[in-house]
Amino acid sequence: MKSLVKSILLTVLLLTALPMRAREAEGGTDIKQLVLGHLGDSYEWHIATTSKAEWSIPLPVIVHSPASGWHCFSSARLRDGAEYEGLRIAAEGDYAGKIVERAADGSDRRPLDLSLTKTSAALLLNSLVVLVLVMSAARWYRRHKATEKAPKGFVGLFEMLVSAILDGVIKPCVGPRYRKFAPYLLTVFFFIFVNNLMGLIPFFPGGANVTGNIAVTFLLALATFLAVNIFGSKHYWKDIFWPDVPIWLKAFPLMPLIEFVGIFTKPFALMIRLFANIMAGHAVILSLTCVIFATAGMGAAINGSMTVVSVLFSIFMYALELLVAFLQAYVFTMLSAVFIGLAQEEPEEESAGNH
């Protein structure tokens, strides 16, 4: 499957490489900007572009400058490279796409930026969706007894997902203390799953690349890192700093060093896996769609045939991404449960005594 995705992406890049510069020079669709603009963050939420206007929702800008203090205004004031209250969005350089101000020496300087960007706005919206889904299911259970008939429809689907993750992932991976970590792991699964699905919706309020943003996956991985190491057992820490290996390996602290590095590499792998898979999926779908625009100047025959190819491959990739949306949420939850479970292990003698 990875080879197939790489082949599709390579084909798209080869098809778009030749006409891209020409179309940009003619003032046509800027394919590079279109793809990178979707994958990146912005200070407004783009909805649609027509021949007459561009529709987008401006988001609040909240920054603090060491020279002029706090600034709070709509990002609409910074459109098309405009400057407002000494602030502007850099078009190029190290701070391209970010709000900057002019320093005393003439260079660009970034103020403290607490603005509500597209990714953070989508994050709040999708979190609200998760909350509504959970509370709707909880409301049904509050109004019905456990002895009644099993729920149907949405509540039944929600119960099936919770049971599958709890019984198939959390219990066997975490072990006897699974109840302590089940709320966190279930929240992580539904949070990632909903964000992945919302990112595949091609129109507002979907389409935001939330889980394809490394800052989001970093915080998710950090939460797992804290859950593993704060609640780790004494045996877990003993295996790291005083593992059961020959004494010469303990005298030369190679194994403790490897185990200590592993504390950080595990959540790092979680962060990169989720970020790379979701971002790559969005990039492939957008690139396939852009084939239509990239071949527009090659004649009706080529453009028509490539439009058919683009549509078919885009449908295939959308179906694949629906599967990936679930699998990535499942894998992140499963690996988090495995790491937490390994940190809860006890010596065999103590474990047998507890049983």
Side-chain angles (χ1 to χ4, degrees):
M1 188 62 69
K2 290 183 179 179
S3 300
L4 177 60
V5 171
K6 291 179 180 178
S7 300
I8 294 173
L9 184 57
L10 180 60
T11 303
V12 172
L13 293 176
L14 290 175
L15 288 170
T16 57
L18 291 175
M20 184 180 294
R21 289 186 179 179
R23 288 197 56 76
E24 289 179 2
E26 296 169 2
T29 303
D30 189 341
I31 298 176
K32 179 181 177 181
Q33 182 62 32
L34 179 64
V35 175
L36 296 181
H38 172 79
L39 296 178
D41 205 356
S42 63
Y43 291 96
E44 59 183 15
W45 197 325
H46 180 266
I47 298 178
T49 300
T50 63
S51 57
K52 296 182 179 180
E54 179 175 326
W55 301 89
S56 60
I57 298 177
L59 299 171
V61 172
I62 306 172
V63 297
H64 180 267
S65 167
S68 54
W70 288 96
H71 300 265
C72 184
F73 53 88
S74 171
S75 61
R77 297 184 179 274
L78 301 179
R79 285 178 180 170
D80 302 324
E83 184 173 331
Y84 183 75
E85 295 183 356
L87 302 170
R88 59 185 173 83
I89 298 178
E92 57 185 11
D94 296 335
Y95 303 134
K98 304 297 182 182
I99 292 179
V100 296
E101 63 178 349
R102 191 75 64 184
D105 58 357
S107 62
D108 287 338
R109 177 179 61 190
R110 282 207 68 191
L112 175 63
D113 195 346
L114 302 177
S115 304
L116 185 68
T117 60
K118 176 183 175 181
T119 300
S120 55
L123 188 65
L124 294 175
L125 177 62
N126 297 343
S127 299
L128 180 62
V129 171
V130 174
L131 184 62
V132 169
L133 294 177
V134 174
M135 296 304 294
S136 298
R139 181 183 180 187
W140 188 94
Y141 285 102
R142 285 198 302 266
R143 296 185 175 185
H144 296 79
K145 297 180 180 179
T147 55
E148 295 185 17
K149 190 177 180 180
K152 297 181 180 179
F154 160 74
V155 179
L157 175 63
F158 195 86
E159 180 182 342
M160 180 193 71
L161 287 174
V162 170
S163 299
I165 300 301
L166 184 63
D167 297 332
V169 175
I170 298 176
K171 284 184 179 180
C173 292
V174 177
R177 302 176 182 175
Y178 75 92
R179 290 183 179 275
K180 184 177 183 178
F181 303 97
Y184 164 69
L185 293 170
L186 286 171
T187 302
V188 165
F189 172 79
F190 284 105
F191 175 80
I192 296 175
F193 189 36
V194 169
N195 276 281
N196 289 348
L197 291 180
M198 292 291 286
L200 293 175
I201 299 176
F203 50 83
F204 182 82
N209 186 33
V210 177
T211 43
N213 186 301
I214 198 166
V216 176
T217 59
F218 168 77
L219 288 176
L220 290 171
L222 179 63
T224 295
F225 171 82
L226 294 176
V228 169
N229 293 285
I230 291 178
F231 300 101
S233 64
K234 294 181 180 179
H235 182 68
Y236 165 74
W237 290 107
K238 176 182 175 297
D239 280 345
I240 293 176
F241 295 106
W242 196 254
D244 294 328
V245 294
I247 191 65
W248 63 272
L249 285 176
K250 295 179 181 179
F252 181 72
L254 178 62
M255 289 301 297
L257 179 61
I258 293 175
E259 292 292 336
F260 181 76
V261 172
I263 294 176
F264 303 96
T265 56
K266 291 175 182 176
F268 180 79
L270 284 178
M271 174 185 71
I272 296 299
R273 179 183 286 107
L274 179 59
F275 159 71
N277 279 281
I278 301 303
M279 186 188 67
H282 283 239
V284 170
I285 291 176
L286 283 170
S287 300
L288 287 169
T289 304
C290 288
V291 169
I292 301 173
F293 306 102
T295 58
M298 293 182 167
I302 295 180
N303 183 242
S305 60
M306 293 310 301
T307 297
V308 174
V309 172
S310 174
V311 171
L312 292 177
F313 272 112
S314 295
I315 293 174
F316 168 75
M317 284 303 302
Y318 255 104
L320 181 62
E321 282 300 302
L322 286 173
L323 178 62
V324 171
F326 173 81
L327 287 179
Q328 289 304 314
Y330 181 89
V331 169
F332 192 99
T333 306
M334 180 186 67
L335 291 178
S336 296
V338 169
F339 297 154
I340 292 173
L342 291 174
Q344 300 300 308
E345 286 186 346
E346 299 176 353
E348 294 183 2
E349 298 81 2
E350 182 180 345
S351 178
N354 290 337
H355 285 300

